[in-house]
Coordinates of all heavy atoms in Angstrom, one line a residue:
M1 N 116.7 99.8 81.5 CA 116.6 98.9 80.5 C 115.1 98.3 80.5 O 114.6 98.0 81.5 CB 117.5 97.7 80.6 CG 117.4 96.7 79.6 SD 118.6 95.4 79.6 CE 117.8 94.3 80.8
T2 N 114.5 98.2 79.3 CA 113.2 97.7 79.2 C 113.2 96.6 78.1 O 113.7 96.8 77.1 CB 112.2 98.8 78.8 OG1 112.2 99.9 79.7 CG2 110.8 98.3 78.7
L3 N 112.6 95.5 78.5 CA 112.4 94.4 77.5 C 110.9 94.2 77.4 O 110.1 94.3 78.4 CB 113.0 93.1 78.0 CG 114.5 93.2 78.2 CD1 115.0 91.9 78.8 CD2 115.2 93.3 76.8
G4 N 110.4 93.9 76.2 CA 109.0 93.6 76.1 C 108.7 92.5 75.1 O 109.5 92.2 74.3
A5 N 107.5 91.9 75.2 CA 107.1 90.9 74.3 C 105.6 91.0 74.2 O 104.9 91.4 75.1 CB 107.5 89.5 74.8
S6 N 105.1 90.6 73.0 CA 103.7 90.5 72.7 C 103.4 89.1 72.2 O 104.2 88.5 71.5 CB 103.3 91.6 71.7 OG 103.4 92.9 72.2
Y7 N 102.2 88.7 72.5 CA 101.7 87.4 72.0 C 100.3 87.5 71.6 O 99.5 88.2 72.3 CB 101.9 86.4 73.1 CG 101.2 85.0 72.9 CD1 101.9 84.1 72.1 CD2 100.0 84.7 73.4 CE1 101.3 82.9 71.8 CE2 99.4 83.5 73.2 CZ 100.0 82.6 72.4 OH 99.4 81.4 72.1
N8 N 99.9 86.8 70.6 CA 98.4 86.7 70.2 C 98.1 85.4 69.6 O 99.0 84.8 69.0 CB 98.0 87.9 69.4 CG 98.6 88.0 68.0 OD1 99.2 87.0 67.6 ND2 98.6 89.1 67.4
R9 N 96.9 85.0 69.7 CA 96.5 83.8 69.0 C 95.0 83.8 68.7 O 94.2 84.5 69.5 CB 96.8 82.5 69.8 CG 96.0 82.4 71.0 CD 96.3 81.1 71.7 NE 95.3 80.9 72.8 CZ 94.9 79.7 73.2 NH1 95.5 78.6 72.7 NH2 94.0 79.5 74.1
G10 N 94.6 83.2 67.7 CA 93.2 83.1 67.3 C 92.6 81.9 68.0 O 93.3 80.9 68.2
G11 N 91.3 82.0 68.3 CA 90.6 80.9 68.9 C 89.5 80.4 68.1 O 89.3 80.9 66.9
S12 N 88.6 79.6 68.7 CA 87.4 79.2 67.9 C 86.4 80.3 67.8 O 86.4 81.2 68.7 CB 86.9 77.9 68.6 OG 86.5 78.2 69.9
N13 N 85.6 80.2 66.8 CA 84.4 81.1 66.6 C 84.9 82.6 66.5 O 84.2 83.5 66.9 CB 83.4 81.0 67.7 CG 82.8 79.6 67.8 OD1 82.7 78.9 66.8 ND2 82.6 79.1 69.0
G14 N 86.1 82.8 66.0 CA 86.5 84.2 65.8 C 87.1 84.9 67.0 O 87.4 86.1 67.0
T15 N 87.3 84.2 68.1 CA 87.8 84.9 69.3 C 89.3 85.1 69.1 O 90.0 84.4 68.3 CB 87.6 84.0 70.6 OG1 88.2 82.8 70.5 CG2 86.1 83.8 70.8
Q16 N 89.9 86.0 69.9 CA 91.3 86.3 69.9 C 91.8 86.5 71.3 O 91.0 87.0 72.1 CB 91.6 87.6 69.1 CG 91.3 87.5 67.6 CD 92.4 86.8 66.9 OE1 93.6 86.9 67.2 NE2 92.0 86.0 65.9
Q17 N 93.0 86.1 71.5 CA 93.7 86.4 72.8 C 95.0 87.1 72.5 O 95.6 86.8 71.5 CB 93.9 85.1 73.6 CG 92.6 84.4 74.1 CD 92.9 83.2 74.8 OE1 93.9 82.5 74.6 NE2 92.1 82.8 75.7
A18 N 95.4 88.0 73.4 CA 96.6 88.7 73.3 C 97.2 89.0 74.6 O 96.5 89.1 75.6 CB 96.5 90.0 72.5
A19 N 98.5 89.2 74.7 CA 99.2 89.6 75.9 C 100.4 90.4 75.6 O 101.1 90.2 74.6 CB 99.7 88.3 76.7
D20 N 100.6 91.5 76.4 CA 101.8 92.3 76.3 C 102.5 92.2 77.7 O 101.8 92.3 78.7 CB 101.4 93.8 76.1 CG 100.8 94.0 74.7 OD1 101.3 93.4 73.8 OD2 99.9 94.8 74.6
V21 N 103.8 92.0 77.6 CA 104.6 91.9 78.9 C 105.8 92.9 78.8 O 106.4 92.9 77.7 CB 105.1 90.5 79.1 CG1 106.0 90.4 80.3 CG2 104.0 89.5 79.1
L22 N 106.0 93.7 79.8 CA 107.1 94.6 79.9 C 107.9 94.2 81.1 O 107.3 94.1 82.2 CB 106.7 96.0 79.9 CG 106.1 96.6 78.6 CD1 105.6 98.0 78.9 CD2 107.2 96.7 77.6
Y23 N 109.2 94.2 81.0 CA 110.1 94.0 82.1 C 111.1 95.1 82.1 O 111.7 95.4 81.1 CB 110.8 92.6 82.0 CG 111.9 92.4 83.0 CD1 111.6 92.0 84.2 CD2 113.2 92.7 82.6 CE1 112.7 91.8 85.1 CE2 114.3 92.5 83.5 CZ 114.0 92.0 84.8 OH 115.0 91.8 85.7
Y24 N 111.2 95.8 83.2 CA 112.2 96.9 83.2 C 112.9 97.1 84.5 O 112.4 96.6 85.6 CB 111.5 98.2 82.8 CG 110.2 98.6 83.6 CD1 110.3 99.5 84.6 CD2 109.0 98.0 83.3 CE1 109.2 99.8 85.4 CE2 107.9 98.4 84.0 CZ 108.0 99.3 85.0 OH 106.9 99.6 85.8
A25 N 114.0 97.6 84.5 CA 114.9 97.8 85.7 C 115.1 99.3 85.8 O 115.6 100.0 84.9 CB 116.2 97.1 85.5
S26 N 114.8 99.8 87.0 CA 115.1 101.2 87.3 C 115.1 101.4 88.8 O 114.1 101.6 89.4 CB 114.0 102.1 86.7 OG 114.2 103.5 87.1
G27 N 116.2 101.1 89.4 CA 116.3 101.1 90.9 C 115.7 99.9 91.5 O 115.5 99.8 92.7
G28 N 115.3 98.9 90.7 CA 114.6 97.7 91.1 C 114.1 97.0 89.8 O 114.3 97.5 88.7
Y29 N 113.5 95.9 90.0 CA 112.9 95.1 88.8 C 111.4 95.2 88.8 O 110.8 94.9 89.9 CB 113.4 93.7 88.9 CG 114.9 93.6 88.8 CD1 115.7 93.4 90.0 CD2 115.6 93.8 87.6 CE1 117.1 93.4 90.0 CE2 117.0 93.7 87.6 CZ 117.7 93.5 88.8 OH 119.1 93.5 88.7
Y30 N 110.8 95.5 87.7 CA 109.4 95.7 87.6 C 108.8 94.9 86.4 O 109.5 94.8 85.4 CB 109.0 97.2 87.5 CG 109.7 98.0 88.6 CD1 110.9 98.6 88.4 CD2 109.0 98.1 89.8 CE1 111.4 99.4 89.4 CE2 109.6 98.8 90.8 CZ 110.8 99.5 90.6 OH 111.4 100.2 91.6
V31 N 107.6 94.5 86.5 CA 106.9 93.8 85.4 C 105.5 94.4 85.2 O 104.8 94.7 86.2 CB 106.8 92.3 85.7 CG1 106.0 91.6 84.6 CG2 108.2 91.7 85.9
A32 N 105.1 94.6 84.0 CA 103.7 95.0 83.7 C 103.2 94.0 82.7 O 103.9 93.7 81.7 CB 103.7 96.4 83.1
V33 N 102.0 93.4 82.9 CA 101.4 92.5 82.1 C 100.0 92.9 81.7 O 99.2 93.3 82.6 CB 101.3 91.1 82.7 CG1 100.6 90.1 81.8 CG2 102.7 90.6 83.1
T34 N 99.6 92.9 80.5 CA 98.3 93.3 80.0 C 97.8 92.1 79.2 O 98.4 91.6 78.3 CB 98.3 94.5 79.2 OG1 98.8 95.6 79.9 CG2 96.8 94.9 78.8
L35 N 96.6 91.6 79.6 CA 96.0 90.4 79.0 C 94.7 90.9 78.3 O 94.0 91.8 78.8 CB 95.6 89.4 80.0 CG 96.7 88.8 80.8 CD1 96.2 87.9 81.9 CD2 97.8 88.1 80.0
Y36 N 94.4 90.4 77.1 CA 93.3 90.8 76.3 C 92.5 89.5 75.9 O 93.1 88.5 75.5 CB 93.6 91.5 75.0 CG 94.5 92.8 75.2 CD1 95.9 92.7 75.2 CD2 93.9 94.0 75.4 CE1 96.7 93.8 75.3 CE2 94.7 95.1 75.5 CZ 96.1 95.0 75.5 OH 96.9 96.1 75.6
Q37 N 91.2 89.7 75.8 CA 90.3 88.6 75.2 C 89.3 89.4 74.3 O 88.7 90.3 74.8 CB 89.6 87.8 76.3 CG 88.6 86.8 75.8 CD 89.3 85.6 75.1 OE1 90.2 85.1 75.6 NE2 88.7 85.1 74.0
F38 N 89.2 88.9 73.1 CA 88.3 89.6 72.1 C 87.2 88.5 71.7 O 87.6 87.4 71.3 CB 89.0 90.0 70.9 CG 90.2 91.0 71.2 CD1 91.4 90.4 71.3 CD2 90.0 92.3 71.3 CE1 92.5 91.3 71.6 CE2 91.0 93.2 71.5 CZ 92.3 92.6 71.7
W39 N 85.9 88.9 71.7 CA 84.8 88.1 71.3 C 84.1 88.8 70.2 O 83.7 90.0 70.4 CB 83.9 87.8 72.4 CG 84.4 86.9 73.5 CD1 84.4 85.5 73.5 CD2 84.9 87.3 74.8 NE1 84.9 85.1 74.7 CE2 85.2 86.2 75.5 CE3 85.1 88.6 75.3 CZ2 85.8 86.3 76.8 CZ3 85.7 88.7 76.6 CH2 86.0 87.5 77.3
P40 N 83.8 88.2 69.1 CA 82.9 88.8 68.1 C 81.4 88.7 68.6 O 81.0 87.7 69.1 CB 83.1 87.9 66.8 CG 83.6 86.6 67.4 CD 84.3 86.9 68.6
V41 N 80.8 89.9 68.5 CA 79.4 89.9 69.0 C 78.6 90.8 67.9 O 79.2 91.5 67.1 CB 79.2 90.6 70.4 CG1 79.9 89.7 71.4 CG2 79.8 92.0 70.4
T42 N 77.3 90.8 68.0 CA 76.4 91.6 67.2 C 75.7 92.6 68.2 O 75.1 92.2 69.1 CB 75.4 90.8 66.4 OG1 76.1 89.9 65.6 CG2 74.5 91.7 65.6
A43 N 75.9 93.9 67.9 CA 75.2 94.9 68.7 C 74.4 95.8 67.8 O 74.9 96.4 66.9 CB 76.3 95.7 69.5
N44 N 73.1 95.9 68.1 CA 72.2 96.7 67.3 C 72.3 96.3 65.8 O 72.3 97.1 64.9 CB 72.5 98.2 67.5 CG 72.2 98.6 68.9 OD1 71.3 98.1 69.5 ND2 73.0 99.6 69.3
G45 N 72.4 95.0 65.6 CA 72.5 94.5 64.2 C 73.8 94.7 63.5 O 74.0 94.4 62.3
K46 N 74.8 95.2 64.2 CA 76.1 95.5 63.6 C 77.2 94.6 64.2 O 77.2 94.3 65.4 CB 76.6 96.9 63.8 CG 75.7 98.0 63.2 CD 76.2 99.4 63.5 CE 75.3 100.4 63.0 NZ 75.7 101.8 63.4
P47 N 78.1 94.0 63.3 CA 79.1 93.2 63.9 C 80.1 94.1 64.8 O 80.4 95.2 64.4 CB 79.9 92.7 62.7 CG 79.3 93.4 61.5 CD 78.1 94.2 61.9
S48 N 80.4 93.6 66.0 CA 81.2 94.4 66.9 C 82.1 93.4 67.6 O 82.1 92.2 67.4 CB 80.3 95.1 67.9 OG 79.4 95.9 67.3
T49 N 82.9 93.9 68.5 CA 83.9 93.1 69.3 C 83.8 93.5 70.7 O 83.8 94.7 71.1 CB 85.3 93.3 68.8 OG1 85.4 93.0 67.4 CG2 86.3 92.4 69.6
L50 N 83.6 92.5 71.6 CA 83.6 92.7 73.0 C 85.0 92.4 73.5 O 85.6 91.4 73.1 CB 82.6 91.7 73.7 CG 82.6 91.7 75.2 CD1 82.1 93.0 75.8 CD2 81.7 90.5 75.7
V51 N 85.6 93.4 74.3 CA 87.0 93.3 74.7 C 87.1 93.3 76.2 O 86.5 94.1 76.9 CB 87.8 94.5 74.2 CG1 89.2 94.4 74.6 CG2 87.7 94.6 72.7
W52 N 87.8 92.3 76.7 CA 88.1 92.2 78.1 C 89.6 92.5 78.2 O 90.4 92.0 77.4 CB 87.8 90.8 78.7 CG 88.3 90.7 80.1 CD1 87.6 91.0 81.3 CD2 89.6 90.2 80.6 NE1 88.4 90.8 82.3 CE2 89.6 90.3 82.0 CE3 90.7 89.7 79.9 CZ2 90.7 89.8 82.7 CZ3 91.8 89.3 80.6 CH2 91.8 89.4 82.0
R53 N 90.0 93.4 79.2 CA 91.4 93.7 79.4 C 91.7 93.6 80.9 O 91.0 94.2 81.7 CB 91.6 95.1 78.8 CG 93.0 95.6 79.1 CD 93.2 97.0 78.6 NE 94.4 97.6 79.1 CZ 95.1 98.5 78.6 NH1 94.7 99.0 77.4 NH2 96.2 99.0 79.1
G54 N 92.8 93.0 81.2 CA 93.3 92.9 82.5 C 94.7 93.4 82.6 O 95.6 93.0 81.8
D55 N 95.0 94.4 83.5 CA 96.3 95.0 83.7 C 96.8 94.6 85.1 O 96.1 94.7 86.1 CB 96.2 96.5 83.6 CG 95.9 97.0 82.2 OD1 96.9 97.1 81.4 OD2 94.7 97.3 81.9
M56 N 98.1 94.1 85.1 CA 98.8 93.8 86.3 C 100.1 94.4 86.3 O 100.8 94.4 85.3 CB 98.9 92.3 86.4 CG 97.5 91.6 86.6 SD 97.6 89.8 86.3 CE 97.4 89.8 84.5
I57 N 100.5 95.0 87.4 CA 101.9 95.5 87.6 C 102.5 95.0 88.9 O 101.8 94.7 89.8 CB 101.9 97.1 87.5 CG1 101.1 97.6 88.7 CG2 101.3 97.6 86.3 CD1 101.3 99.1 89.0
S58 N 103.8 95.0 88.9 CA 104.5 94.7 90.1 C 105.5 95.9 90.3 O 106.1 96.4 89.4 CB 105.4 93.4 90.0 OG 106.4 93.6 89.1
S59 N 105.4 96.4 91.5 CA 106.3 97.5 91.8 C 106.5 97.5 93.3 O 105.6 97.5 94.1 CB 105.6 98.8 91.5 OG 106.3 100.0 91.9
A60 N 107.8 97.5 93.7 CA 108.2 97.5 95.1 C 107.7 98.7 95.8 O 107.3 98.7 97.0 CB 109.7 97.4 95.3
S61 N 107.6 99.9 95.2 CA 107.3 101.1 95.8 C 105.8 101.2 96.2 O 105.4 101.9 97.1 CB 107.7 102.3 95.0 OG 107.0 102.3 93.8
L62 N 104.9 100.5 95.4 CA 103.5 100.6 95.7 C 103.2 99.9 97.0 O 102.2 100.3 97.7 CB 102.7 99.9 94.6 CG 102.5 100.7 93.3 CD1 101.8 99.9 92.3 CD2 101.9 102.0 93.5
A63 N 103.9 98.9 97.4 CA 103.7 98.2 98.7 C 103.9 99.1 99.9 O 103.2 98.9 100.9 CB 104.6 97.0 98.8
D64 N 104.7 100.1 99.7 CA 105.0 101.0 100.8 C 104.1 102.2 100.9 O 104.1 103.0 101.9 CB 106.4 101.6 100.7 CG 107.5 100.5 100.9 OD1 107.2 99.4 101.5 OD2 108.6 100.6 100.3
L65 N 103.2 102.4 99.9 CA 102.3 103.5 99.9 C 101.1 103.3 100.7 O 100.5 102.2 100.7 CB 101.9 103.9 98.5 CG 103.0 104.3 97.5 CD1 102.5 104.6 96.2 CD2 103.8 105.5 98.1
H66 N 100.5 104.3 101.4 CA 99.3 104.2 102.2 C 98.5 105.5 101.9 O 99.0 106.5 101.6 CB 99.7 104.1 103.6 CG 100.5 102.8 103.9 ND1 99.9 101.6 103.9 CD2 101.8 102.7 104.2 CE1 100.9 100.7 104.2 NE2 102.0 101.4 104.4
G67 N 97.2 105.4 102.2 CA 96.3 106.5 102.2 C 96.3 107.3 100.9 O 96.2 106.7 99.8
V68 N 96.5 108.6 101.0 CA 96.4 109.5 99.8 C 97.5 109.1 98.8 O 97.2 109.2 97.5 CB 96.6 111.0 100.2 CG1 96.6 111.9 99.1 CG2 95.4 111.3 101.2
E69 N 98.7 108.7 99.2 CA 99.7 108.4 98.2 C 99.3 107.2 97.4 O 99.5 107.2 96.1 CB 101.0 108.0 98.9 CG 101.7 109.2 99.7 CD 102.8 108.8 100.6 OE1 102.8 107.7 101.1 OE2 103.7 109.6 100.7
R70 N 98.7 106.2 98.0 CA 98.3 105.0 97.2 C 97.1 105.4 96.3 O 97.1 105.0 95.1 CB 97.8 103.9 98.2 CG 97.3 102.7 97.4 CD 97.1 101.5 98.3 NE 97.8 100.4 97.7 CZ 98.4 99.4 98.3 NH1 98.4 99.4 99.6 NH2 98.9 98.5 97.6
L71 N 96.2 106.2 96.7 CA 95.1 106.7 95.9 C 95.6 107.5 94.7 O 95.1 107.3 93.6 CB 94.1 107.5 96.7 CG 93.2 106.8 97.7 CD1 92.4 107.8 98.5 CD2 92.4 105.8 97.0
G72 N 96.6 108.3 94.9 CA 97.2 109.1 93.8 C 97.9 108.1 92.8 O 97.7 108.4 91.6
S73 N 98.6 107.1 93.3 CA 99.2 106.2 92.3 C 98.2 105.4 91.6 O 98.3 105.2 90.4 CB 100.1 105.2 93.1 OG 101.2 105.9 93.7
E74 N 97.1 105.0 92.2 CA 96.0 104.2 91.6 C 95.4 105.1 90.5 O 95.0 104.7 89.4 CB 95.0 103.7 92.6 CG 95.5 102.6 93.5 CD 94.6 102.3 94.6 OE1 93.5 103.0 94.7 OE2 94.9 101.4 95.4
S75 N 95.2 106.4 90.9 CA 94.6 107.3 89.9 C 95.4 107.5 88.7 O 94.9 107.5 87.5 CB 94.3 108.7 90.6 OG 93.8 109.6 89.7
A76 N 96.7 107.6 88.9 CA 97.6 107.8 87.7 C 97.6 106.6 86.8 O 97.6 106.7 85.6 CB 99.1 108.0 88.2
M77 N 97.6 105.4 87.4 CA 97.5 104.1 86.7 C 96.2 104.1 85.9 O 96.2 103.7 84.7 CB 97.6 102.9 87.6 CG 97.8 101.6 86.8 SD 98.1 100.2 87.8 CE 96.5 99.5 88.0
M78 N 95.1 104.4 86.5 CA 93.8 104.4 85.9 C 93.7 105.4 84.7 O 93.1 105.1 83.7 CB 92.6 104.7 86.9 CG 92.4 103.6 87.9 SD 92.0 102.0 87.1 CE 90.4 102.3 86.4
K79 N 94.3 106.5 84.8 CA 94.4 107.5 83.7 C 95.2 106.9 82.6 O 94.8 107.1 81.4 CB 94.9 108.8 84.2 CG 94.0 109.6 85.0 CD 94.6 111.0 85.5 CE 93.7 111.7 86.4 NZ 94.3 113.0 86.9
D80 N 96.3 106.3 82.9 CA 97.1 105.7 81.8 C 96.3 104.6 81.1 O 96.4 104.5 79.9 CB 98.4 105.1 82.4 CG 99.3 104.6 81.4 OD1 99.6 105.4 80.4 OD2 99.8 103.5 81.5
I81 N 95.6 103.8 81.8 CA 94.8 102.7 81.2 C 93.7 103.3 80.4 O 93.4 102.9 79.3 CB 94.2 101.8 82.3 CG1 95.4 101.0 82.9 CG2 93.2 100.8 81.7 CD1 95.0 100.2 84.2
A82 N 93.0 104.3 80.9 CA 91.9 105.0 80.2 C 92.4 105.6 78.9 O 91.8 105.5 77.8 CB 91.3 106.1 81.0
R83 N 93.6 106.2 78.9 CA 94.2 106.8 77.7 C 94.5 105.6 76.7 O 94.3 105.8 75.5 CB 95.5 107.5 78.1 CG 96.2 108.2 76.9 CD 97.4 109.1 77.3 NE 98.1 108.6 78.4 CZ 98.2 109.2 79.7 NH1 97.6 110.3 79.9 NH2 98.9 108.6 80.6
A84 N 95.1 104.5 77.1 CA 95.4 103.4 76.3 C 94.1 102.8 75.6 O 94.1 102.5 74.4 CB 96.1 102.3 77.0
V85 N 93.0 102.7 76.4 CA 91.7 102.2 75.9 C 91.2 103.2 74.9 O 90.7 102.8 73.8 CB 90.7 102.0 77.1 CG1 89.3 101.8 76.5 CG2 91.2 100.8 77.9
A86 N 91.3 104.5 75.1 CA 90.7 105.5 74.2 C 91.5 105.4 72.8 O 90.9 105.5 71.7 CB 90.9 106.9 74.7
L87 N 92.8 105.2 72.9 CA 93.6 105.1 71.7 C 93.3 103.8 70.9 O 93.2 103.8 69.7 CB 95.1 105.2 72.0 CG 95.6 106.5 72.4 CD1 97.1 106.4 73.0 CD2 95.5 107.5 71.3
F88 N 93.1 102.7 71.7 CA 92.7 101.4 71.1 C 91.4 101.6 70.4 O 91.2 101.1 69.3 CB 92.6 100.4 72.2 CG 92.2 99.0 71.7 CD1 93.1 98.2 71.1 CD2 90.9 98.6 71.9 CE1 92.7 96.9 70.7 CE2 90.5 97.4 71.5 CZ 91.4 96.5 70.9
R89 N 90.4 102.2 71.0 CA 89.1 102.4 70.4 C 89.1 103.2 69.2 O 88.5 103.0 68.2 CB 88.1 102.9 71.4 CG 87.8 101.9 72.6 CD 86.8 102.5 73.5 NE 85.5 102.5 72.9 CZ 84.4 103.1 73.4 NH1 84.5 103.8 74.5 NH2 83.3 103.2 72.7
K90 N 89.9 104.3 69.2 CA 90.1 105.2 68.1 C 90.7 104.4 66.9 O 90.3 104.5 65.8 CB 90.9 106.4 68.5 CG 91.2 107.4 67.4 CD 92.0 108.5 67.8 CE 92.3 109.5 66.7 NZ 93.2 110.5 67.1
D91 N 91.8 103.6 67.2 CA 92.5 102.9 66.2 C 91.5 101.8 65.6 O 91.6 101.6 64.4 CB 93.7 102.2 66.8 CG 94.8 101.9 65.8 OD1 94.9 102.7 64.9 OD2 95.5 100.9 66.1
M92 N 90.7 101.2 66.4 CA 89.8 100.1 65.9 C 88.7 100.7 65.1 O 88.1 100.0 64.3 CB 89.3 99.2 67.1 CG 90.4 98.5 67.8 SD 91.5 97.5 66.7 CE 90.4 96.2 66.2
G93 N 88.3 102.0 65.3 CA 87.2 102.6 64.7 C 87.5 102.9 63.2 O 86.6 103.2 62.4
R94 N 88.7 102.8 62.8 CA 89.1 103.1 61.4 C 88.8 101.9 60.5 O 88.9 100.8 60.8 CB 90.6 103.5 61.3 CG 90.8 104.8 62.0 CD 92.3 105.1 61.7 NE 92.7 106.0 62.8 CZ 93.9 106.3 63.1 NH1 94.9 105.8 62.4 NH2 94.2 107.1 64.1

């Protein structure tokens, strides 16, 4: 079972904040939280957006991993984040 929620709000000077939360059960209980902060900026004379993203996960199995297993799990998570960022950038470019 997976439950999720999203939240966003506008701030002063055109800033935005957002959060995505996922809670799921699969042999244990896990949570994934992604926080976003968006700032309007000007880059090379063009209006742009500076994005900060923070990803946090809880997983009982990661605590037991060591060495190469932990590096493999971290690599898989980084690839997933990179894929999500690429899709976000593609979507925002339209």
Side-chain angles (χ1 to χ4, degrees):
M1 178 174 86
T2 303
L3 297 172
S6 294
Y7 170 80
N8 64 19
R9 72 177 191 151
S12 61
N13 301 324
T15 62
Q16 293 281 323
Q17 293 179 332
D20 292 321
V21 179
L22 288 175
Y23 170 81
Y24 53 99
S26 175
Y29 300 100
Y30 306 96
V31 177
V33 178
T34 304
L35 303 172
Y36 304 91
Q37 176 73 41
F38 305 92
W39 293 274
V41 296
T42 302
N44 296 327
K46 296 179 183 177
S48 302
T49 303
L50 175 63
V51 180
W52 174 87
R53 175 181 164 153
D55 290 276
M56 295 165 271
I57 62 167
S58 71
S59 173
S61 62
L62 286 178
D64 296 333
L65 298 179
H66 300 287
V68 174
E69 293 171 330
R70 180 170 229 146
L71 290 173
S73 294
E74 291 170 359
S75 177
M77 187 175 99
M78 291 301 295
K79 285 180 184 177
D80 187 50
I81 292 169
R83 185 174 33 247
V85 168
L87 290 171
F88 177 80
R89 291 182 72 190
K90 181 180 175 184
D91 206 30
M92 296 308 290
R94 293 186 206 165

